[in-house]
Amino acid sequence: APYTLTYFAIKGRAGPLKILLADKEQQLKENVVTVQDWMKGDIRATCLFGQLPKFEDGDLVLYQSNAILRHLGRKHGAYGKNDCEASLIDMMNDAAQDLRQKYIKLIYQEYETGKEAFIKDLPNEFKPFENILAKSKTGFLVGDQISLADYNLFDLLLNLKVLSPSCLDSFPSLKSFVDKISARPKVKALLECENFKKLPINGNGKQ
Ligand code: GSH
């Protein structure tokens, strides 16, 4: 495989890039790091920012999940058809990332105390994405082809649906966005693949 991912045995921050790679029919070699091995510290010491995921494309070594996602978007035609589209894709991906960060904070820092308020506030978070998708002729966030921002938002929405199964009920455009991407044959195959399905979403067992 031309690509190697080193990460924990979770979906976590690697979900979007795995979905992109599957959809673009790219092979991925996975080095799974156990928490036990990570705790020893020698792997961490080799990581530029002391964290995973790490991604290798030949001699290129990348850290930072969104840099990896952008790299793959650039290489596999998921970064718009011109600079303006690429900038809009950056904007939407950053917005999705903001929401992902809030989700991760909830999961790892305040699940018990913050879950209810987080779910209650989701409609405010969803509105901008719903507005963009409602105006989109093709059902993608930007332009007329799928982009890295779509993969990122899609993965996040799958996670949020596990947290709150009814959260998309008042968001028809987001709901059809999820249905449409879920139905892409290679994405569907990945979501149904046992190796992917069995991965917990997060590292602490909360979801
Ligand atoms: N901004 C980084 C990215 O998006 O890749 C954050 C990476 C990150 O938070 N990694 C976590 C990690 O390595 C796992 S998802 N945790 C173990 C540690 O920090 O010791």
Side-chain angles (χ1 to χ4, degrees):
Y3 298 133
T4 305
L5 174 72
T6 303
Y7 196 48
F8 303 106
I10 61 173
K11 295 196 179 87
R13 296 181 190 266
L17 70 94
K18 285 187 181 173
I19 296 168
L20 182 156
L21 287 173
D23 199 37
K24 299 293 181 181
E25 300 184 65
Q26 300 299 309
Q27 300 297 315
L28 179 65
K29 181 173 178 285
E30 295 188 54
N31 281 337
V32 177
V33 176
T34 64
V35 172
Q36 206 179 0
D37 280 345
W38 182 253
M39 289 308 179
K40 291 178 193 154
D42 43 337
I43 301 172
R44 184 207 304 266
T46 69
C47 295
L48 181 58
F49 305 108
Q51 290 190 310
L52 299 174
K54 171 186 185 179
F55 190 87
E56 290 161 274
D57 175 1
D59 290 337
L60 176 69
V61 180
L62 287 175
Y63 297 93
Q64 296 292 353
S65 54
N66 279 278
I68 299 164
L69 193 62
R70 286 178 159 101
H71 176 69
L72 296 174
R74 252 175 231 119
K75 283 188 68 173
H76 298 289
Y79 216 148
K81 61 177 185 299
N82 55 44
D83 286 351
C84 287
E85 281 195 4
S87 298
L88 291 168
I89 289 165
D90 282 343
M91 176 179 81
M92 296 314 297
N93 194 60
D94 287 358
Q97 197 54 33
D98 284 353
L99 180 53
R100 179 180 295 274
Q101 212 52 50
K102 289 181 193 173
Y103 168 76
I104 291 174
K105 181 167 184 256
L106 169 75
I107 293 289
Y108 288 97
Q109 293 174 30
E110 52 196 24
Y111 191 81
E112 282 71 26
T113 51
K115 184 177 169 180
E116 201 180 327
F118 180 90
I119 291 173
K120 200 159 162 246
D121 189 49
L122 274 180
N124 297 321
E125 298 285 350
F126 284 164
K127 223 162 275 165
F129 296 103
E130 175 72 16
N131 289 343
I132 288 283
L133 288 173
K135 284 188 226 132
S136 159
K137 289 184 191 72
T138 53
F140 299 124
L141 287 167
V142 179
D144 56 15
Q145 58 187 16
I146 195 161
S147 76
L148 63 97
D150 295 304
Y151 295 114
N152 196 358
L153 179 64
F154 171 69
D155 173 80
L156 179 60
L157 292 174
L158 292 182
N159 297 347
L160 292 172
K161 274 180 61 177
V162 173
L163 180 77
S164 169
S166 63
C167 70
L168 296 183
D169 286 0
S170 319
F171 296 90
S173 302
L174 281 176
K175 199 168 176 303
S176 59
F177 173 80
V178 168
D179 292 345
K180 187 173 145 176
I181 297 183
S182 302
R184 292 168 74 89
K186 308 291 173 196
V187 174
K188 187 165 186 283
L190 176 70
L191 298 180
E192 287 170 0
C193 150
E194 282 309 319
N195 278 337
F196 187 76
K197 262 203 315 206
K198 73 174 186 218
L199 292 176
I201 298 173
N202 302 300
N204 63 355
K206 295 177 187 171
Q207 62 177 28

